[in-house]
Amino acid sequence: MQISPTPTHCPYCALQCGMNLTPAPDGTVEVSERADFPVNRGALCGKGRTAPAVLSSRVRLTSPLVRSEGALVPATWDEALDRIAGGLRRTRTEHGPDAVGVFGGGGLTNEKAYTLGKFARVVLGTSQIDYNGRFCMSSAAAAGMKAFGLDRGLPFPLEDIPRTGCVILVGSNLAETMPPSLRFFNELKENGGTLIVIDPRRTKTAEQADLHLAPRPGTDLALALGLLHLVVAEGRVDEAYVQERTAGWEDARAAAMAHWPEYVERITGVSVPQLRETVRLFCEPENAMVLTARGPEQQSKGTDTVGAWINLCLATGRAGRPLSGYGCLTGQGNGQGGREHGQKADQLPGYRKLDDPAARRHVAEVWGVDPDSLPGPGRSAYELLDALGTDIKSLLLMGSNPVVSAPRAAHIEERVKSLDFLAVCDVVLSETAALADVVLPVTQWAEETGTTTSLEGRVLLRRRAITAPEGVRSDLDVLHELADRLGVEKGFPTDPEEVFEELRRASAGGPADYSGITYRRLAEENGVFWPCPAGPPDGEDTSLDAPGDDGSAARDIPADAHPGTPRLFLDRFATPDGRARFVPVSHRASAEEPDEEYPVLLTTGRVVAQYQSGAQTRRVDELNAAAPGPFVELHPRLAARLGAAEGDPVAVVSRRGRAVAPARITTSIRPDTVFMPFHWPGEGRVNTLTNPALDPTSRMPEFKACAVRLETVTS
Ligand code: SF4
C-alpha cells in the first residue's frame, strides 16, 4: 500500500521550512521536498534533512526515569508522575508557590507554551515561569514594543526582501543558521538591490554581501548612531514621514548628533568612508530594510541597540511602508509563538501583559478562575536560574537545556544541582535532564500535532506523521496528568486542537490575536499571519495578499473571514496615536571590556550543522561528522602572539571560568576577537565563559561580548 506523505514543518529554527514526511517499512521516516511552502520551496538545510534521525535515535528516551540511590532508573509513568506531583506539592506547602519554578523553551508548540503558562499560574500558582526564548530575541521584542507598540519578528513576509532596494543585516549569519533563507537575499542582489552585512567576523553570510562592516563586538549601538548622524548631516532625513508618522524625533536626533563619525570610527573600528558608503547605499533606493539578529540583541544594551537601528529606519521613512521596514530574524522554531502565549514571566496569552487588569480579567474568564488568583510577573530566565536552590526549590523544565545554553553555565549547573527537586521532560537525556530527579520521555515534532509561529508571524500547522514509540507521551499529557494529581481536574486537555480552540479565545482582542485562525484554515491556507481576529477585518484591510501565502485564493474559508495580516503598520503603528516612537539612545560600553588581565573579546554563535545546545543535533551522525566539536576561531596575528598553531588546544579564560578547544586560525575574524560556537557541553562549553550581565529592559544576557585571555595548553 502506498503511504501518502504528510506535509509538515522542520522541528528546528524559526524559518520553519516545509517538508513532507513518509514512514518507511523499516520504521524510519523519509523526508521529501515540499515545494508548496513558499518560504523554503522544498529546500532544507542538513539539520532539517536529518531531523528524523532523532526520532529513532538509539539514545531516545522511551521510559520515565527516577533517581534512586543516586542513579536514574526506569520507572512506570504513574510512579514518575506521582514523584513529580509530590515534589512540587511538598515545595509549595513548605515554601510557598513561588518556590516552584517552571522553565520552558522556544521550541515548544503554541499549545504547549500556552498550557505550560496556564499550568504555572492556575495549578502551581507560581509567578516563577520563564523560558529560554529570553536568551534569543527579547531585546528586539522590547525595542519593537517601545517603537511600534507591537512585537512581531518580521512585520512583512520574507518574499518582500527581493523587491526592496537595500538590506542591512545586523549580526546575523543566516547562511549558517537558516541557509534556505539566503535565496531571498540572492534574489535581492539579482534584482539590483544591495546587501550590507554587519558582523565582527567575515562569515559565510558576510561573503555574500556587497559591503561588509566588521565592528568590534558590542559596538553596534554606536555604529547605528553614527549612521543616523550622517543621515542628518547629509540631509537624508525623510522630514514629511517623520512629521506624519512618528513622535520623539528631536531627542533622538540630538542623541545621534553627539556621535560624530570619527568618534564612531574610534569605538567601532569601522572607517568613516565605510559609514558614508553604508548611508548612501541605504538611503538612495526608494525602499530599504534593516534586519537584526542575535548580534546586536544579545548585549547588556540590546534593547537600546535595536532601538538605534529602528531610529535609523524611522528617520529615513523606512518603516510601515511597503517593501521597507525593520525586522528581527527570530531564532528558535517557535521563538515567536513561545513569547506570545504565556510562558514568558510577564505575559498572558495573546501577548497580553500580566500586570494589565483588563488582560487578567479576560484570560481569567477563559480559564474559569478569579483574576486575583493569578500571580504577577516573575523573574526573567537568567534570574530564575540564578535563584535555583535558594528562593526556588523545585523546578519543572520542558524543552530546554540550560546547563549548556545559559550564560555563566558552570554557576547555573551548580544552581541546578542545588535544587531540592528537578523534573525534566525531554526526548533524550540532555545534560540538564541527567541532573534531574525525574525525567519524562516525551513525543517529538513528527509524532504530534501542534502549531508554531514562524519568524514572519505566520502561524503554521505541524502535523503528526508517525506514531510515537511505546512508552512516550506528549507534554500536554504530562501537564494534564500533573494538574489532575495536583487537584485541578479540568482545563488541561490533551488534544492539541482543543487547546488551540481555547488559545484562540484567550488571545481574542489581544495584540497577538489568533481568534480567526483554526486548524482547518492552517491546513488549507498553508499558514495564517497574525493578527487574525475572528470575523472580517475592521475598516480597510492592511493585508495586501490573498489569504493563501503563495498568492492563491483560500479554499473553503468563509468569504468574510479575516485574511490575516502579512504586512503590519502600513496605515498606522500599534501605539495609541498610531505614530511610531523614536527612542533617544546613546552609546555605552559592554558590561565587561578588555583590560590587561583579560585583553581579548569573546563572541559566540552557531555553526550550520548543529542547533542550539545540541541536545538533538549532537545525536545525528551526519551532523556530528560535519561539526564534531567546539573550536576557538582566532586571527593569525593573535595566534602568533599566543604561539598557537592550527588545531592546537587553546584555553579561553574569563572571570567566570575556563574552556578549552582546538584553534581554528582564520583572517575572517578581527585580531582583537575570538569566536566560539555554543553547541557543546564539557571542557569546550563556551557558556562557562559568557557574561550574564542583563539588559535592563529585556533582561537578556550579554552572550555576544565579554573579556577573556588566551592560554596555550600543554598536554
Ligand atoms: Fe530546519 Fe531551519 Fe534548516 Fe529550515 S533552515 S531546514 S527550518 S533548521
Side-chain angles (χ1 to χ4, degrees):
M1 187 184 74
Q2 184 78 22
I3 301 174
S4 42
T6 303
T8 189
H9 295 270
C10 176
Y12 296 122
C13 86
L15 207 55
Q16 285 295 282
C17 293
M19 58 169 65
N20 284 323
L21 295 181
T22 312
D26 64 357
T28 60
V29 178
E30 283 170 10
V31 175
S32 58
E33 189 175 296
R34 182 181 164 196
D36 71 314
F37 187 60
V39 171
N40 63 313
R41 292 192 206 144
L44 296 170
C45 77
K47 297 184 291 287
R49 203 169 27 75
T50 59
V54 188
L55 297 166
S56 55
S57 166
R58 59 189 178 282
V59 295
R60 175 86 191 267
L61 296 174
T62 53
S63 166
L65 302 172
V66 298
R67 195 162 293 279
S68 171
E69 297 179 4
L72 285 169
V73 296
T76 66
W77 270 93
D78 277 341
E79 250 179 287
L81 288 163
D82 287 346
R83 281 268 286 261
I84 298 175
L88 302 181
R89 191 187 300 112
R90 198 162 42 250
T91 296
R92 203 174 50 176
T93 306
E94 291 174 7
H95 303 283
D98 276 356
V100 181
V102 176
F103 201 84
L108 299 179
T109 61
N110 290 320
E111 291 78 0
K112 293 179 186 181
Y114 171 85
T115 306
L116 192 62
K118 182 179 176 184
F119 178 83
R121 287 153 184 140
V122 173
V123 178
L124 300 174
T126 181
S127 65
Q128 301 302 305
I129 174 169
D130 211 52
Y131 80 127
N132 63 19
R134 178 79 68 169
F135 299 158
C136 190
M137 77 300 280
S138 54
S139 293
M145 292 300 284
K146 281 187 184 186
F148 307 130
L150 190 71
D151 152 44
R152 195 180 86 182
L154 296 180
F156 43 75
L158 284 160
E159 69 195 32
D160 283 3
I161 288 172
R163 295 186 289 139
T164 191
C166 174
V167 175
I168 302 181
L169 200 52
V170 192
S172 167
N173 183 13
L174 50 79
E176 299 219 43
T177 56
M178 40 182 71
S181 70
L182 205 57
R183 79 171 166 84
F184 295 105
F185 299 88
N186 290 336
E187 286 170 19
L188 164 77
K189 290 170 61 179
E190 284 160 22
N191 292 343
T194 309
L195 176 62
I196 301 172
V197 171
I198 298 176
D199 198 305
R201 305 160 62 217
R202 188 164 179 80
T203 59
K204 288 193 176 128
T205 311
E207 279 170 9
Q208 314 284 324
D210 298 285
L211 178 62
H212 170 217
L213 310 182
R216 204 166 160 271
T219 64
D220 315 75
L221 172 52
L223 184 63
L225 283 160
L227 296 176
L228 184 54
H229 181 112
L230 283 171
V231 164
V232 176
E234 294 178 5
R236 295 183 188 269
V237 175
D238 186 336
E239 302 284 358
Y241 173 93
V242 168
Q243 184 76 24
E244 272 172 39
R245 300 209 53 192
T246 72
W249 168 230
E250 279 313 314
D251 287 346
R253 177 184 178 283
M257 295 320 282
H259 293 76
W260 289 89
E262 293 75 11
Y263 171 55
V264 169
E265 179 180 302
R266 280 202 303 281
I267 297 169
T268 62
V270 176
S271 70
V272 173
Q274 282 183 313
L275 294 173
R276 288 194 191 283
E277 180 64 354
T278 304
V279 167
R280 186 185 72 77
L281 292 172
F282 185 65
C283 292
E284 282 189 350
E286 192 181 344
N287 304 299
M289 297 173 177
V290 172
L291 304 178
T292 67
R294 304 305 79 74
E297 298 163 16
Q298 288 178 328
Q299 298 186 24
S300 59
K301 52 182 181 293
T303 305
D304 283 0
T305 302
V306 175
W309 288 103
I310 292 175
N311 285 350
L312 181 70
C313 290
L314 294 176
T316 52
R318 273 111 165 55
R321 280 176 164 170
L323 306 180
S324 278
Y326 161 78
C328 157
L329 297 160
T330 55
Q332 295 191 80
N334 197 29
Q336 180 70 45
R339 71 182 188 263
E340 293 166 2
H341 297 298
Q343 66 174 328
K344 202 164 169 231
D346 56 351
Q347 277 176 6
L348 287 170
Y351 223 130
R352 290 183 155 93
K353 300 293 286 179
L354 192 49
D355 56 6
D356 171 2
R360 293 170 68 88
R361 275 197 303 279
H362 173 86
V363 175
E365 191 179 332
V366 174
W367 288 352
V369 299
D370 179 350
D372 292 338
S373 71
L374 298 176
R379 290 178 173 87
S380 73
Y382 180 78
E383 293 164 297
L384 189 157
L385 295 171
D386 192 33
L388 300 182
T390 53
D391 292 350
I392 297 174
K393 309 287 186 191
S394 290
L395 184 71
L396 173 65
L397 188 140
M398 263 184 189
S400 188
N401 188 15
V403 162
V404 177
S405 62
R408 199 185 171 198
H411 168 73
I412 293 305
E413 187 172 346
E414 287 310 309
R415 303 287 2 121
V416 171
K417 286 177 181 167
S418 70
L419 280 163
D420 290 353
F421 183 79
L422 172 64
V424 174
C425 300
D426 213 326
V427 299
V428 293
L429 198 64
S430 72
E431 288 68 24
T432 310
L435 303 176
D437 297 287
V438 182
V439 183
L440 298 179
V442 288
T443 44
Q444 297 188 46
W445 57 291
E447 300 158 353
E448 57 189 14
T449 293
T451 62
T452 60
T453 306
S454 76
L455 79 175
E456 298 176 293
R458 189 195 301 248
V459 185
L460 300 163
L461 186 63
R462 268 204 212 142
R463 297 169 175 87
R464 186 170 73 87
I466 58 167
T467 305
E470 207 170 321
V472 163
R473 295 190 189 175
S474 82
D475 293 299
L476 293 179
D477 274 312
V478 169
L479 293 171
H480 170 87
E481 291 290 337
L482 290 177
D484 190 44
R485 282 166 167 78
L486 291 166
V488 181
E489 288 161 18
K490 290 198 177 134
F492 289 87
T494 57
D495 173 26
E497 187 166 7
E498 203 179 323
V499 176
F500 190 81
E501 287 300 306
E502 186 182 306
L503 182 158
R504 291 176 61 200
R505 286 187 286 123
S507 75
D513 190 334
Y514 283 34
S515 60
I517 305 175
T518 61
Y519 270 30
R520 188 170 65 97
R521 282 192 69 173
L522 293 178
E524 293 179 357
E525 296 180 38
N526 219 347
V528 177
F529 292 81
W530 73 257
C532 181
D538 287 340
E540 197 177 341
D541 180 8
T542 55
S543 62
L544 299 183
D545 287 345
D549 48 31
D550 57 355
S552 64
R555 288 162 282 144
D556 298 331
I557 306 301
D560 64 351
H562 192 291
T565 315
R567 296 172 182 86
L568 295 168
F569 312 139
L570 294 179
D571 296 322
R572 67 192 311 277
F573 293 96
T575 54
D577 61 6
R579 290 168 176 266
R581 299 282 185 276
F582 282 97
V583 178
V585 292
S586 291
H587 165 70
R588 59 183 187 274
S590 297
E592 194 176 66
E593 288 287 337
D595 56 18
E596 265 186 34
E597 201 180 349
Y598 299 97
V600 176
L601 279 163
L602 167 71
T603 194
T604 69
R606 288 168 49 188
V607 297
V608 66
Q610 299 286 354
Y611 181 69
Q612 306 297 65
S613 80
Q616 294 131 296
T617 50
R618 282 188 276 114
R619 270 78 186 179
V620 180
D621 293 343
E622 186 180 327
L623 300 178
N624 280 334
F631 54 86
V632 182
E633 191 177 285
L634 73 170
H635 192 275
R637 292 215 291 272
L638 193 51
R641 274 213 310 275
L642 184 66
E646 177 77 13
D648 282 356
V650 170
V652 184
V653 184
S654 80
R655 288 182 175 83
R656 291 152 294 280
R658 183 176 198 266
V660 179
R664 190 175 285 185
I665 300 172
T666 170
T667 54
S668 65
I669 190 164
R670 292 172 56 95
D672 58 3
T673 301
V674 294
F675 166 84
M676 289 182 74
F678 66 86
H679 311 291
W680 290 274
E683 189 183 47
R685 178 177 64 183
V686 69
N687 278 321
T688 301
L689 311 170
T690 47
N691 189 355
L694 301 181
D695 178 278
T697 307
S698 68
R699 316 305 288 167
M700 189 171 197
E702 188 148 67
F703 289 99
K704 288 298 181 201
C706 74
V708 296
R709 68 167 182 267
L710 306 184
E711 296 171 355
T712 50
V713 177
T714 46
S715 50

